[in-house]
């Protein structure tokens, strides 16, 4: 027996008959880190069953809108270490820059239209040769990881989630299912993602006592277009596909998180200091060791709205081996409602002691394309708000390391009969060559193949798809 319970936001307006339904999901700590943010997500609260929050490939878990986590600094700084540069070279750095350019060119969220009509339902293109050759677009993976770091969860994977499982006789389960997916216009819960309708079925593995509400296309609608948000990892990476920008639901998630009218109890990041008044900047010196908690008349805690937009800026290490970093200070204006119940503004200083986001490369073993710093260090500001026990709201903290798997491409022999290197046209060896990192788009330009140091050429990858492998 299934009980469906839908969580609705107070004050949401009614959908117009012509409104195309959409949806996004927000991200908070817990889940795949192995540290569930809420007791009810633990197997102990569900008759010993894992109910899906430890199965996701996310860096955290879905949260309700009143528990949302967001960035509250206007600029995040990113850099490349020597391992990334050695593997991907300048073309790989350019691919990351292109992903950041897409985010930097977004308007402030308070200037977006109410319906978000300026954003497409699908921003995914296909390069058919790249698809045939199993190439994965580096820029698109970076863009996806950045949305995750901004607090956007995989909406397709979390349209539905299990709230509770109760054991019944004969290994049956009684499930309570909830919706996390929010329409970006009305903020009502939604069964749609970028106009694509989703339903679910309950997956159970009795020997391992794991279960999940698995999203699927409703029967009879198999031919409907599946419009995948950039922030969704459910269908990613699909070799040969690439993103040209954000979809409507991606933009809707950022609008909710960063809108100045989204006012919540919030702390400044640790280490942020008073920045003086208009026209002057205090001299901190090289040994300035004060913390914001030791300074008076400087409200670090209060009600804050979203900052409207986050900008990404590239910085560099100051040594050829990528180990030294010249620290600097970012100054910006903070708006807060503190003890006097009125809006006040203050200049603040944010010492940047290391890059907020570091791109690197390492051998992650067969399987994962990349790994990311988890959300375990994110700050839960619920303690500010009173006696409730919620999963948020909170502040996203850094630094973040995004590591790309440098093992790609690799070969996989399935049976003992394969004593030589397999090739794709062998009917027994289909899919034995792993995907390969590349950069491509929808033009006729040849894809750029990585890694740089091994000189793996496009012709070499083509040869693997058509005949026995040849030397690069």
């Amino acid at each position: 027996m299934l009980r469906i319970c839908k969580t609705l936001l107070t004050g949401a307006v009614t959908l117009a008959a012509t409104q195309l339904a959409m949806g996004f999901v927000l991200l908070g700590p817990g889940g795949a880190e192995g540290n569930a943010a809420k007791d009810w997500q633990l197997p102990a609260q569900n008759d010993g069953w894992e109910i899906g929050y430890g199965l996701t490939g996310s860096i955290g878990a879905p949260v309700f809108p009143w528990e949302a986590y967001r960035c509250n600094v206007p600029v995040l700084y990113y850099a490349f270490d020597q391992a990334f540069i050695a593997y991907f070279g300048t073309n790989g750095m350019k691919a990351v820059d292109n992903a950041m350019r897409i985010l930097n060119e977004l308007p402030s969220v308070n200037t977006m239209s109410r319906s978000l009509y300026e954003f497409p339902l699908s921003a995914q293109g296909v390069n058919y040769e790249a698809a045939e050759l199993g190439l994965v677009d580096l820029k698109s993976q970076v863009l996806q990881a950045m949305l995750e770091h901004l607090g956007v969860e995989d909406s397709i994977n979390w349209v539905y989630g299990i709230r509770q499982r109760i054991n019944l006789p004969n290994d049956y389960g009684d499930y309570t299912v909830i919706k996390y997916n929010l329409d970006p216009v009305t903020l009502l819960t939604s069964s749609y993602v970028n106009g694509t309708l989703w339903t679910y079925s309950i997956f159970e593995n009795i020997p391992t006592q794991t279960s999940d509400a698995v999203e699927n296309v409703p029967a009879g609608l198999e031919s409907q277009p599946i419009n995948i948000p950039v922030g969704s990892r459910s269908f990613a990476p699909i070799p040969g596909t690439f993103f040209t920008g954000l979809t409507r639901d991606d933009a809707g998630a950022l609008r909710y998180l960063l809108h100045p009218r989204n006012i919540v109890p919030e702390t400044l990041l640790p280490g942020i200091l008073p920045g003086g008044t208009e026209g002057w900047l205090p001299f901190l010196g090289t040994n300035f060791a004060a913390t914001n908690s030791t300074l008076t008349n400087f409200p670090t805690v209060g009600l804050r709205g979203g900052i409207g937009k986050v900008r990404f800026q590239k910085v560099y290490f100051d040594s050829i081996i990528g180990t030294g970093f010249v620290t600097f200070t970012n100054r910006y204006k903070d708006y807060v409602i503190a003890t006097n119940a009125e809006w006040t503004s203050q200049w603040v200083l944010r010492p940047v002691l290391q890059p907020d986001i570091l791109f690197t490369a390492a051998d992650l073993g067969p399987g994962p394309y990349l790994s990311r710093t988890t959300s375990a260090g994110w700050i839960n500001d619920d303690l500010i708000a009173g006696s409730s026990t919620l999963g948020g709201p909170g502040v996203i903290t850094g630094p973040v390391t995004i590591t790309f798997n440098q093992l790609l491409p690799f070969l996989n022999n399935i049976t003992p009969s394969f004593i030589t290197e397999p090739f794709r046209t062998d009917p027994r060896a289909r899919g034995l060559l792993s995907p390969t990192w590349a950069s491509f788009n929808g033009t006729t330009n040849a894809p750029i193949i990585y890694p740089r140091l091994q000189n793996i050429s496009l012709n070499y990858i083509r040869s693997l798809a058509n005949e026995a492998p040849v030397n690069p």
Side-chain angles (χ1 to χ4, degrees):
M1 180 175 64
L2 299 177
R3 302 193 306 269
I4 310 300
C5 122
K6 299 180 181 180
T7 306
L8 303 180
L9 283 181
T10 304
V13 299
T14 304
L15 266 174
T18 58
Q19 174 66 48
L20 185 61
M22 301 174 288
F24 65 84
V25 180
L26 303 171
L27 175 68
E33 304 167 25
N35 301 307
K38 302 170 185 178
D39 289 344
W40 59 261
Q41 297 173 353
L42 297 171
Q45 303 296 318
N46 295 279
D47 288 336
W49 280 67
E50 163 60 57
I51 59 173
Y53 295 88
L55 304 178
T56 173
S58 171
I59 61 171
V63 293
F64 295 114
W66 48 85
E67 302 171 319
Y69 285 70
R70 66 188 181 190
C71 289
N72 66 354
V73 294
V75 183
L76 294 176
Y77 299 91
Y78 69 96
F80 309 96
D81 73 355
Q82 187 58 31
F84 181 95
I85 296 172
Y87 188 87
F88 290 103
T90 56
N91 285 322
M93 298 169 69
K94 183 179 179 180
V96 174
D97 292 341
N98 288 337
M100 299 306 192
R101 184 177 298 110
I102 290 174
L103 296 173
N104 286 338
E105 290 177 352
L106 290 173
S108 179
V109 299
N110 53 305
T111 66
M112 295 177 180
S113 70
R114 182 179 182 275
S115 66
L116 299 168
Y117 69 88
E118 62 269 39
F119 295 93
L121 294 177
S122 176
Q124 192 171 57
V126 179
N127 183 305
Y128 292 100
E129 182 177 37
E132 173 64 23
L133 299 179
L135 306 184
V136 173
D137 183 46
L138 178 62
K139 178 198 71 177
S140 299
Q141 292 303 293
V142 172
L143 194 59
Q144 190 173 73
M146 287 300 95
L147 281 181
E148 190 178 38
H149 180 57
L150 289 173
V152 181
E153 178 58 289
D154 182 345
S155 54
I156 293 179
N157 191 48
W158 288 107
V159 177
Y160 306 94
I162 298 173
R163 176 58 177 81
Q164 184 182 54
R165 186 192 189 280
I166 299 174
N167 284 342
L168 296 176
N170 300 318
D171 291 322
Y172 285 97
D174 180 5
Y175 288 92
T176 299
V177 179
I178 56 178
K179 286 186 178 179
Y180 286 103
N181 200 44
L182 300 177
D183 186 284
V185 177
T186 67
L187 297 187
L188 291 166
T189 54
S190 173
S191 301
Y192 290 81
V193 177
N194 278 328
T196 300
L197 177 62
W198 294 91
T199 184
Y200 73 94
S201 56
I202 295 295
F203 161 82
E204 283 192 335
N205 186 317
I206 294 176
T208 61
Q209 292 193 310
T210 57
S211 58
D212 194 13
V214 178
E215 286 72 9
N216 50 67
V217 174
L221 295 179
E222 291 86 358
S223 62
Q224 71 172 331
I226 298 179
N227 298 320
I228 302 173
V230 177
S232 176
R233 295 170 303 280
S234 299
F235 290 85
I238 303 176
T241 63
F242 59 92
F243 289 113
T244 58
L246 298 192
T247 69
R248 199 167 298 178
D249 285 346
D250 298 313
L254 294 181
R255 181 172 68 177
Y256 178 83
L257 290 168
L258 301 177
H259 204 286
R261 290 201 299 269
N262 184 1
I263 301 171
V264 298
E266 193 169 85
T267 61
L268 291 175
L269 287 180
I272 289 183
L273 306 168
T277 59
E278 192 81 41
W280 71 277
L281 195 67
F283 174 72
L284 301 183
T286 57
N287 295 317
F288 190 81
T291 63
N292 54 28
S293 61
T294 66
L295 300 164
T296 60
N297 300 319
F298 178 55
T300 60
V301 176
L303 294 176
R304 289 182 168 86
I307 58 176
K309 179 180 174 65
V310 177
R311 186 167 60 87
F312 296 85
Q313 183 171 323
K314 182 165 57 178
V315 291
Y316 299 90
F317 290 98
D318 66 337
S319 72
I320 59 173
I321 59 173
T323 57
F325 183 73
V326 178
T327 62
F328 59 94
T329 300
N330 175 232
R331 185 180 189 229
Y332 67 95
K333 185 169 283 189
D334 172 51
Y335 297 90
V336 60
I337 299 177
T339 56
N340 59 3
E342 295 181 356
W343 282 109
T344 60
S345 63
Q346 57 183 355
W347 286 98
V348 298
L349 299 174
R350 179 179 172 239
V352 180
L353 307 180
Q354 58 186 316
D356 297 303
I357 304 161
L358 179 65
F359 293 100
T360 185
D363 182 348
L364 301 179
Y369 292 89
L370 72 164
S371 68
R372 298 91 70 210
T373 302
T374 73
S375 56
W378 294 6
I379 300 172
N380 186 350
D381 285 330
D382 175 55
L383 298 177
I384 300 173
S387 58
S388 64
T389 304
L390 300 175
V395 177
I396 296 173
T397 63
V400 172
T401 299
I402 298 176
T403 307
F404 293 92
N405 195 347
Q406 60 184 201
L407 187 62
L408 277 62
F410 58 84
L411 297 166
N412 182 20
N413 288 352
I414 294 178
T415 69
S417 62
F418 291 150
I419 58 175
T420 60
E421 183 176 352
F423 53 93
R424 285 190 171 188
T425 53
D426 186 332
R428 301 168 299 167
R430 283 292 181 182
L432 293 183
L433 179 69
S434 77
T436 303
W437 287 118
S439 290
F440 52 85
N441 52 32
T443 70
T444 57
N445 296 335
I448 298 170
I449 306 298
Y450 308 108
R452 179 183 66 86
L453 284 178
Q454 289 181 269
N455 294 318
I456 295 180
S457 67
L458 181 61
N459 285 336
Y460 175 65
I461 299 297
R462 286 169 175 161
S463 74
L464 296 181
N466 295 288
E467 58 187 38
V470 298
N471 292 328

